[in-house]
Amino acid sequence: MGTKGNGGAPGGGPAHGVSRRTLLIGGGAAAAAGSAALAWDGVRRVWWRVPGVEKPRKPGELDYAGARWIGASEANWRRADRPDDYAVDRIVVHVTQGGLGSAVKVFQDPAHGAAAHYIVGKDGRVVQMIRELDVGFHAGNRSYNERSVGIEHEGFVDRPQDFTPAMYASSARLAATVCRRYGIPVDREHIIGHVEVPGADHTDPGPHWDWPRYLAEIRAART
């Protein structure tokens, strides 16, 4: 049942409800609580950046359950707290120009200066080398590094036979998980090749990468 008109207590106030003063006090308290919540959210995003403070991490923790963890050299990525400090809205597709084992070795080399979050093998194996929280040096563009997850694929750009059904299926499942996690649309604007990164000097994944197939498999895996 609802109230009708302005009838009730003298002066047009509520007859059986709370007073205007109480409402104002309550509203002020709610506003203060909201401001405090916003302030705390800001603190939560940056507290771990204070010198000497480390955000809790578990060594070897995976973001993708189907992967095996092999950590990249700390020289090849930057610690972060994505998506709190950098929104993640891209996947960048790479090709290793070599075998899976050689890619792992290179990403563990501090002198290399680059590494992707994941490597997918011809047989469908997935290796995670950098946490998605962190910024991998994989795209050759600082902004794109900060906003993307990099997925390497074993093989050579000029050998279409390297891009196997097992690789496509496995990479699509991984990409679908990443897209779900960050709300990334499954389209060619948000899932791109290394060659499409502004300023990039790489050509991967090359002309033999089957984009229609890959996107279709990601959509199927996502649903």
Side-chain angles (χ1 to χ4, degrees):
M1 294 176 62
T3 59
K4 295 182 180 179
N6 291 323
H16 304 291
V18 294
S19 69
R20 180 172 181 273
R21 180 172 181 276
T22 303
L23 285 171
L24 288 173
I25 293 172
S35 298
L38 289 173
W40 170 246
D41 184 62
V43 171
R44 180 182 64 82
R45 291 170 181 261
V46 299
W47 71 267
W48 59 271
R49 299 186 192 179
V50 176
V53 175
E54 289 287 327
K55 185 175 182 182
R57 302 290 182 98
K58 294 180 181 179
E61 187 172 15
L62 294 167
D63 295 303
Y64 180 62
R68 174 191 176 196
W69 176 263
I70 304 177
S73 168
E74 292 186 3
N76 297 332
W77 54 273
R78 188 175 84 238
R79 195 178 183 89
D81 186 24
R82 302 191 310 171
D84 280 349
D85 48 5
Y86 305 109
V88 178
D89 64 0
R90 294 287 190 280
I91 291 174
V92 179
V93 175
H94 303 262
V95 173
T96 62
Q97 291 298 97
L100 188 150
S102 63
V104 168
K105 185 176 180 180
V106 165
F107 290 170
Q108 290 181 314
D109 180 358
H112 183 61
H117 295 87
Y118 296 96
I119 308 173
V120 181
K122 297 176 188 178
D123 59 1
R125 285 181 294 165
V126 179
V127 174
Q128 181 171 4
M129 301 199 69
I130 302 171
R131 290 292 308 277
E132 291 177 18
L133 288 165
D134 298 321
V135 176
F137 303 154
H138 65 93
N141 176 305
R142 178 171 179 168
S143 174
Y144 275 70
N145 283 340
E146 291 171 346
R147 71 193 301 178
S148 67
V149 171
I151 304 178
E152 287 276 0
H153 297 83
E154 178 184 17
F156 294 85
V157 296
D158 58 349
R159 292 177 40 157
Q161 65 271 26
D162 288 347
F163 307 142
T164 65
M167 173 184 285
Y168 278 117
S170 181
S171 182
R173 288 191 296 270
L174 167 60
T177 300
V178 173
C179 288
R180 280 196 301 267
R181 192 178 348 269
Y182 304 107
I184 300 173
V186 182
D187 58 35
R188 288 286 286 112
E189 179 182 353
H190 297 88
I191 302 175
I192 64 174
H194 193 178
V195 65
E196 297 168 282
V197 174
D201 59 357
H202 288 240
T203 62
D204 54 317
H208 302 297
W209 183 259
D210 192 337
W211 283 108
R213 173 180 184 166
Y214 188 52
L215 294 183
E217 292 198 27
I218 294 173
R219 293 188 185 107
R222 185 171 181 175
T223 57

